Amino acid sequence: MRALLVVLGLVLTAGSASAEPAVADVCAVTDQRLEELSGFASDGGQWFAVNDSDNGQVRVQVLDRACAITGTITAPNNPFDVEDLALAPDGTLWLADTGDNGKTRETVALHAVSPDGSARLYRLTYPDGKHDAEALLLDGSGIPHIVTKETIGSALVYRPAAGLSEGAPTPLEQVARVSITTTDTPGGPLQNSVVTRLVTGGAMSRDGRVAALRTYTDAYLFPVPDGDLAKALESDPVRVPLPGEPQGEAIAFDPDGTLLSASEFGSAGTSSAVRAVAGAAALAVPPAPTTTAEAAPSADEATSATPPATDPRSPWPVVGGGAVALVLVGALVRRSRRRRA
């Protein structure tokens, strides 16, 4: 097993793993309509992308695999701050209108947009106050999971507590925490280690068996072998460095398991790049069992190990357990983009 991991470029560490496969530039994004590219999705033939600036309506840009915009899907919904994009198997594009840098929103929203531009709006409420969130994952059953961008402590995972409704806000429930530590991967809008652990985007593989979350500098791959996304996000991921992106917020999977990433242009940039990590989904291998079955004792061993029926002694109970509290303290990272009041 370890030999296989070495071939894949996977290096085991305590309780987790990191991988450094090749990250290749695919094409350059130069169209100003995507200077704040924050959400990305792929159907294998074309790409879909959203800008997170406020322009008064939903706009999903359709790109060919040379990064040229070939069309725009528009919907009349007026979003506040779209931060991520997910493509459902039926072709519906789910936009995560969940950005809240100033922690001012009473509700956040999901926009379910069909290729013909028809759209459904679902408003959502958190159970524990306001959060800024930039990552959206759809599990194998199509249930949306929102992952927050926390400057202090773990990222939080929420999903609807009941079926989505267009008539009234749907309450969210917290179902998991994602622990991501700082790294030394270069990139991001600030030269500060805090930016290396802020969750800025999410994606699911086509078969629903791998979830990816990204920060400004790295991607994290979580195996989802049994369909339980919340449980998977609390497991140890495989880290894939994505160095050198000025403000990396977009991530997606091609149907073949290639991981795609993209960045905003950055404060002084005029372009960015779509990058690819071939075969990335295969790196998220569920951990091997940590225990092995022991051989059954022989009849003589079993007899000698069992106290006589008249022996008044009883075995001592096994007592174990413990708790570890981890508090991560970071600095508030505020992006200098225009936002509606």
Side-chain angles (χ1 to χ4, degrees), residues 81-161:
D81 187 3
V82 173
E83 291 286 359
D84 206 1
L85 178 66
L87 177 64
D90 66 357
T92 300
L93 292 158
W94 288 81
L95 281 67
D97 184 3
T98 54
D100 191 11
N101 289 325
K103 306 292 180 64
T104 61
R105 302 180 65 173
E106 296 299 325
T107 64
V108 293
L110 296 174
H111 304 267
V113 181
S114 298
D116 63 3
S118 59
R120 303 182 303 278
L121 171 62
Y122 303 106
R123 297 198 179 277
L124 311 166
T125 58
Y126 291 106
D128 55 356
K130 301 174 177 65
H131 296 276
D132 185 27
E134 298 189 3
L136 174 65
L137 300 168
L138 298 179
D139 71 8
S141 299
I143 299 173
H145 290 61
I146 295 169
V147 185
T148 65
K149 182 183 183 183
E150 303 290 340
T151 56
I152 299 175
S154 302
L156 306 177
V157 184
Y158 295 87
R159 69 185 176 200

Side-chain angles (χ1 to χ4, degrees), residues 51-70:
N51 219 37
D52 74 357
S53 60
D54 172 30
N55 55 22
Q57 66 177 167
V58 166
R59 288 181 179 271
V60 179
Q61 306 297 345
V62 184
L63 290 76
D64 63 21
R65 298 183 74 88
C67 288
I69 294 177
T70 61

Side-chain angles (χ1 to χ4, degrees), residues 15 18 41 49 54 58 65 71 79 84-85 99 134 173 183 189 191 196 209 225 232 250 271 321 331 338:
S18 62
D54 172 30
V58 166
R65 298 183 74 88
D84 206 1
L85 178 66
E134 298 189 3
E173 60 179 353
T183 73
Q191 297 303 309
T196 68
R209 297 179 66 84
S271 66
R338 297 189 299 276

Side-chain angles (χ1 to χ4, degrees), residues 226-243:
D226 58 0
D228 189 337
L229 179 57
K231 182 178 72 173
L233 292 174
E234 292 192 329
S235 67
D236 294 322
V238 172
R239 179 172 67 91
V240 177
L242 300 171

